[in-house]
Every structure is written in C-alpha cells, then in structure tokens.
Amino acid sequence: MHAPEQDALEHAIAWLQAGHRVHLCTVVRTWGSSPRLPGAMLALRDDGQLLGSVSGGCIEDELIERARDGRLPEVNGLLEYGVSRDEAQRYGIPCGGRLQIFVEQVQDADVLRPVLESLRQRKLLRRSVRLGTNDIVLGEAMPGAVACLEDGWFHHYFGPQWRLLIIGANQLGAILASMAQALEFHVLVCDPREEIRAQWQVDGVQWCECMPDDAVLEMVPDAYTAIVAVTHDPKLDDMALLEALRSEAFYVGALGSRLNQDKRRERLRMFDLNEEEIGRLHGPVGLPIGSRTPAEIAIAILAEIIQVRSQQRAAAITSQSIANALSTGNACAS
C-alpha cells in the first residue's frame, strides 16, 4: 500500500499524460472541528474523477461539480468552506468547523515527478507555491513540518509513508497487520519460524525473511517507523528490540506482562543500551483499555501508536510556530 499522497500524485501524472486537466486540492488551515488535517490532499480530474480526500464527503462533491463545470481556478488560489452555519450544514462540516483549501492547476507532469521520486525514496521535501502564480520552489524539510501559508507562499511538506514492522506472524500479528493497513501504514512482517509463516493469510504486507534484528537493521528505521514485537519469545523479540531502541523509530513496543517487561529491561541492560534508550520501550504494549483478545490487543497497540504519533506531531507544530514567529514575526497557522 502506498501513501495517499503518492497514489494521488501517480494518478495526477497519468491523467496529465492522457490529456486531462488536473487540479491538486490541499487542506491549508482548519478552525474548530474539521474532518482532515492540514496537508490532506486530493488530485481532481476535469471530468470529476478524484483520488484522495480533503473532508471525507460533501466538499469533495462540491469540488467535483466545480471541475465538471470548469469553475476551478486556472491560477492557484484559496477556497474556504464552513464559514457560515448554513455552509457548515451544507458541506457536512462539524459544528464550528471551517477549513481553507489551496487549489492548484497542474499543467505539466514534470513539476510533480520530483515530489513523487522523493516519496519513493523516503525523503522529506518541501514544495512551495506562490499564491496567484505558477512559481514553485522545492527544498529540504524538517520532520514534523505542517502545511501552511506564509508571506504569500503555500508550503506543502511531503514525507515518507508511515511504516509498521511486526516481529511475529502469529494470530495477533495477523490482526495487527490487517488493522494497520486500514490505517494506511506500510506493514512489514518478520518471523523466521517456517511453521508460523506457513499459516499467514493476510495480503498486502512485505515479508522480511531474515532474523528480526537483521530485519530492523535492513529497513533503517526512521521517524516514520513503528516497531512492535509480539512473538513472546525473548530469543526473537529481544534482539529486534535491541536494534529498534537504538534507531530513530518513533515507537517501539513489546508484548508481555509487567513482570516479563521488567525481566526484559534487565536483559537489555546487559547490552550497551543506556537508560534513555531502554526507557523508549512501550511495554506492556498498547493503551490500558482492558484488552484481552488478540483483536482487542491489536486495537490497544494501534491506539497507542496513534497517540504517540499525534503527541509528536503536536510538539512539532508548536516548535514550527515558535520558530516562524521568531524568524519572521508571522507564524504559519495550524
């Protein structure tokens, strides 16, 4: 499974090559309760076909009508929805919600190819477009940067797809893999036990046919990577965790009771991990929701992964706003 942005860009390029007019629509800013966050994007074809989402419903319908009627701007600009109570009800935006969308007509597939290649290489990229013109500037980006308007430019940040490496192809691993794919994670699974792999039935995952610690090293975990060990076998889990805790992975978790986790931390101290690295381990893994069945445990794990990701994103937004305010006196709103 590709990241939604990658799918949208691939389709946009294909549509342009087929002779269609194409617009990119991106959420710039939200107020109150809004369905999608800044940076959510869709590609829209002149006949109304689209890929991606900016609201999950009625705003897409209105954009489709604009595309079919030729009412989308030829020069990039902004559209706002949910400004009034009537509009909020019409477009299905939650009470008090409001969002601003940047609409850009793309006339040449070549302007999108560098962004697509950056996504494929798991690099961070900033794509800046000057409002009212077709000026585009590409540059480096910092992790956690969020789409925003600044001094007449719209900055859109493209980053790697979120990944989840699951150590263990048991029943819990299978349910976790299926749910994570629904949440748009690229899922990798590692389990060297042939008898366990033979029972695997979840499609769409990437298999790592090596020992778990080698799998962690080979994938080179970055800030968009989560790693969860669920084999319940210290010989498999611990070596993978040893490498994972030294990596840039934003989340590392392991299945097991509190007693087993205490024993695991003692084992990890026998290696060259420091207390800060060991403290990154989420164990027992998952939010404490009273989960007992494999499906409930998978929900708890993914809920905690999402919570950690959201906390880090909020911290990045705050840091970005402070940095912008200090450097320009005009922070990008989020």
Side-chain angles (χ1 to χ4, degrees):
M1 177 186 292
H2 292 162
E5 294 86 357
Q6 183 172 335
D7 283 336
L9 291 172
E10 288 177 347
H11 278 73
I13 290 172
W15 293 339
L16 287 165
Q17 291 174 333
H20 289 280
R21 292 193 311 277
V22 175
H23 284 79
L24 296 181
C25 303
T26 309
V27 176
V28 177
R29 189 177 181 187
T30 65
W31 296 262
S33 301
S34 298
R36 298 299 303 272
L37 296 173
M41 183 185 76
L42 64 80
L44 179 59
R45 206 166 77 176
D46 49 14
D47 61 357
Q49 186 170 335
L50 62 80
L51 194 76
S53 174
V54 293
S55 76
C58 296
I59 289 178
E60 280 83 351
D61 292 340
E62 203 271 341
L63 290 171
I64 288 171
E65 290 182 11
R66 283 177 176 262
R68 289 173 175 169
D69 297 341
R71 292 186 290 113
L72 288 174
E74 294 184 4
V75 179
N76 66 68
L78 300 171
L79 297 175
E80 285 196 8
Y81 293 92
V83 175
S84 68
R85 182 179 296 274
D86 289 343
E87 282 185 316
Q89 292 177 346
R90 175 185 174 191
Y91 297 122
I93 300 174
C95 182
R98 186 173 148 210
L99 70 160
Q100 189 178 58
I101 295 175
F102 179 75
V103 181
E104 172 192 0
Q105 181 174 356
V106 183
Q107 299 178 335
D108 187 348
D110 286 341
V111 304
L112 299 181
R113 288 194 173 94
V115 183
L116 184 59
E117 185 61 25
S118 177
L119 285 171
R120 289 171 174 166
Q121 295 180 8
R122 296 192 63 79
K123 294 180 179 179
L124 291 167
L125 179 73
R126 183 182 71 181
R127 183 175 186 267
S128 302
V129 185
R130 187 190 294 273
L131 269 67
T133 74
N134 293 317
D135 296 342
I136 299 173
V137 177
L138 302 180
E140 296 182 355
M142 295 295 292
V146 180
C148 65
L149 287 173
E150 183 182 18
D151 297 333
W153 288 84
F154 170 55
H155 303 298
H156 192 186
Y157 298 88
F158 293 87
Q161 183 178 8
W162 298 100
R163 296 186 295 182
L164 172 61
L165 171 62
I166 302 171
I167 307 299
N170 51 23
Q171 184 183 16
L172 172 58
I175 296 173
L176 186 59
S178 180
M179 290 182 177
Q181 288 187 88
L183 293 172
E184 299 176 346
F185 279 83
H186 173 62
V187 178
L188 303 92
V189 178
C190 179
D191 197 319
R193 300 169 296 181
E194 293 183 7
E195 67 280 7
I196 299 296
R197 288 205 309 266
Q199 302 173 16
W200 187 264
Q201 296 181 352
V202 180
D203 295 328
V205 306
Q206 178 181 336
W207 270 98
C208 304
E209 296 184 355
C210 56
M211 292 300 292
D213 52 330
D214 291 330
V216 174
L217 291 172
E218 288 178 8
M219 75 180 300
V220 189
D222 53 25
Y224 292 79
T225 305
I227 300 172
V228 178
V230 298
T231 71
H232 249 320
D233 185 343
K235 296 190 300 297
L236 299 177
D237 287 349
D238 286 4
M239 297 308 295
L241 293 172
L242 178 64
E243 300 299 340
L245 292 170
R246 291 190 289 211
S247 75
E248 296 182 11
F250 78 93
Y251 180 95
V252 180
L255 188 68
S257 66
R258 292 189 182 280
L259 178 59
N260 286 335
Q261 298 294 346
D262 290 341
K263 293 178 179 179
R264 171 178 282 120
R265 288 183 171 88
E266 287 301 319
R267 293 194 300 270
L268 291 173
R269 289 187 179 95
M270 297 172 62
F271 297 92
D272 58 346
L273 289 181
N274 58 45
E275 289 302 315
E276 182 179 357
E277 290 169 332
I278 294 174
R280 296 182 58 219
L281 177 63
H282 292 267
V285 70
L287 293 182
I289 60 174
S291 53
R292 299 184 66 85
T293 68
E296 291 172 348
I297 295 170
I299 290 172
I301 293 171
L302 289 170
E304 186 172 50
I305 289 174
I306 292 169
Q307 181 187 65
V308 172
R309 183 175 69 177
S310 298
Q311 291 170 344
Q312 293 186 0
R313 181 181 183 276
I317 292 173
T318 300
S319 298
Q320 177 181 333
S321 298
I322 293 172
N324 288 334
L326 292 174
S327 62
T328 67
N330 179 25
C332 290
S334 61

